[in-house]
Amino acid sequence: MAPSAPRRSIPKDRFAAVFSSLKTQTYHDPASRGPGSHTIRSIAWNPTGHLIATGSADRTLRIWNPEKPQVKNSTELRGHTGAIERVAWNPVKEAELASVSSDGTCKFWDVRSKTCVETVQLGGEGLTISWSADGSAVLVGRKDDTLIPISVPTYSTSSPLPQATQTNQTLFAPSPSPTTILLTTGTGSVVVATYPTLTPLHTLYAHTSSCSTLALSLSGRYLATGGSDALITLWDTTDWVCRRTLGAMVGSVRSVGFSWDGGYVVGGSDEGNGLEIAHVETGEYVCKVETSAPATCVAWHPTRYWLAYSGDAMGLKIVGAAGGAV
């Protein structure tokens, strides 16, 4: 299937009316047998937006077709023996997925053949993963704040990189080759460093307590960070200046993401109900998605205004997948 053509950006004054008209699709996993039994830890769209992966605390790793919500049209990838903490797609291969688990492994999957092509032993419980824009490098973080570089496609590891502070997430800068990495810290800052040496280039003092998540807009112009202080901060990457601080979140920000055009940002939290969508250029909140439970994970579709989120006892939900013009 060819990639979807990007839609036109929706102006701020029209966004609420258009987005509120979208219908939400639910993707019920049979592994969910009641509240808390199937907690989704991670959501990720593949590069074309034709597939979406969910990783759960009960070891379920599933690939969904957003246009076919029945579980019979999904693919379950089996092999992990512990909770799946994070999933990430190869940015240049629409069918290659990586998953990190508390079982101490990072697995690489070919979702077309439903097979694990490689298992990398991490030497400790896995927590985070990021994939470089060119697909050549993966950086996995362990729960003991040690980073494990992995080269693709050989899947060979380099020497572990212990960190002096809590490292909740990493993110490669969008460059032709993996030369810059962003690291969150338990002190609330974000370190911009060279890769693979991790020599600091800039330090962004983003939060008053632990920084837990970060995301770059598709163009790379803006960086969004979320922290346990319930704030989202927006940074201009041309000069690393904080342009806006968003304070509508109720609890710790666990995930954050930009719409495909970089015009809107949303955060996920494990407290409160509802997702508040903000306009990036003004910092104004323009729309709220009502949820029946806290939505920890959020992920925008790569080419349209569809918004996936977790937290509901029923499982994955996608705003827009059940109908709408955007």
Side-chain angles (χ1 to χ4, degrees):
M1 186 182 294
S4 302
R7 276 62 175 170
R8 291 184 179 181
S9 296
I10 301 175
K12 175 173 66 70
D13 59 350
R14 293 185 55 237
F15 187 85
V18 175
F19 195 81
S20 297
S21 69
L22 300 181
K23 298 179 181 179
T24 300
Q25 184 66 262
T26 299
Y27 303 77
H28 179 66
D29 197 309
S32 179
R33 297 180 176 85
S37 67
H38 181 68
T39 303
I40 295 176
R41 295 275 182 88
S42 183
I43 298 173
W45 293 92
N46 80 333
T48 63
H50 294 130
L51 298 172
I52 186 168
T54 57
S56 305
D58 62 4
R59 301 176 295 181
T60 304
L61 175 58
R62 193 174 295 280
I63 312 300
W64 298 91
N65 178 339
E67 297 180 352
K68 298 179 179 180
Q70 297 81 10
V71 72
K72 67 180 181 180
N73 297 309
S74 71
T75 299
E76 183 178 356
L77 303 176
R78 300 179 179 179
H80 282 297
T81 58
I84 297 166
E85 301 292 346
R86 193 64 62 92
V87 293
W89 295 88
N90 186 331
V92 297
K93 291 184 178 180
E94 62 180 303
E96 185 175 11
L97 179 76
S99 57
V100 168
S101 170
S102 60
D103 64 10
T105 67
C106 176
K107 291 183 178 291
F108 293 85
W109 308 84
D110 182 338
V111 301
R112 292 166 301 189
S113 62
K114 307 177 185 179
T115 59
C116 176
V117 297
E118 189 68 38
T119 298
V120 176
Q121 299 294 331
L122 302 175
E125 294 184 60
L127 178 65
T128 69
I129 186 171
S130 57
W131 211 317
S132 65
D134 67 347
S136 70
V138 168
L139 187 62
V140 173
R142 297 192 319 220
K143 290 185 178 180
D144 64 357
D145 302 311
T146 298
L147 303 178
I148 310 296
I150 303 173
S151 297
V152 180
T154 61
Y155 306 108
S156 57
T157 60
S158 302
S159 298
L161 302 169
Q163 301 302 293
T165 185
Q166 178 183 351
T167 306
N168 295 312
Q169 189 176 341
T170 65
L171 182 66
F172 281 97
S175 56
S177 59
T179 58
T180 306
I181 190 82
L182 289 79
L183 313 170
T184 68
T185 72
T187 61
S189 63
V190 175
V191 177
V192 184
T194 60
Y195 185 82
T197 61
L198 302 190
T199 302
L201 299 172
H202 308 280
T203 299
L204 315 180
Y205 297 98
H207 299 276
T208 57
S209 54
S210 180
C211 181
S212 53
T213 184
L214 73 173
L216 282 163
S217 61
L218 188 61
S219 67
R221 171 69 186 278
Y222 285 107
L223 169 72
T225 71
S228 59
D229 55 5
L231 297 177
I232 294 174
T233 60
L234 297 176
W235 299 76
D236 190 327
T237 61
T238 60
D239 52 15
W240 297 114
V241 170
C242 182
R243 299 300 182 190
R244 283 162 241 348
T245 298
L246 308 177
M249 304 292 289
V250 175
S252 297
V253 183
R254 298 300 184 186
S255 61
V256 68
F258 287 95
S259 58
W260 65 269
D261 58 351
Y264 302 92
V265 66
V266 69
S269 175
D270 52 12
E271 298 181 47
N273 292 354
L275 296 170
E276 297 276 3
I277 300 174
H279 184 243
V280 171
E281 289 296 336
T282 63
E284 296 178 38
Y285 285 97
V286 294
C287 189
K288 182 176 181 178
V289 178
E290 298 293 345
T291 63
S292 61
T296 306
C297 302
V298 294
W300 289 93
H301 189 282
T303 62
R304 58 197 311 174
Y305 290 112
W306 287 8
L307 178 61
Y309 66 91
S310 71
D312 191 288
M314 294 297 291
L316 174 69
K317 291 194 172 185
I318 303 178
V319 180
V326 297

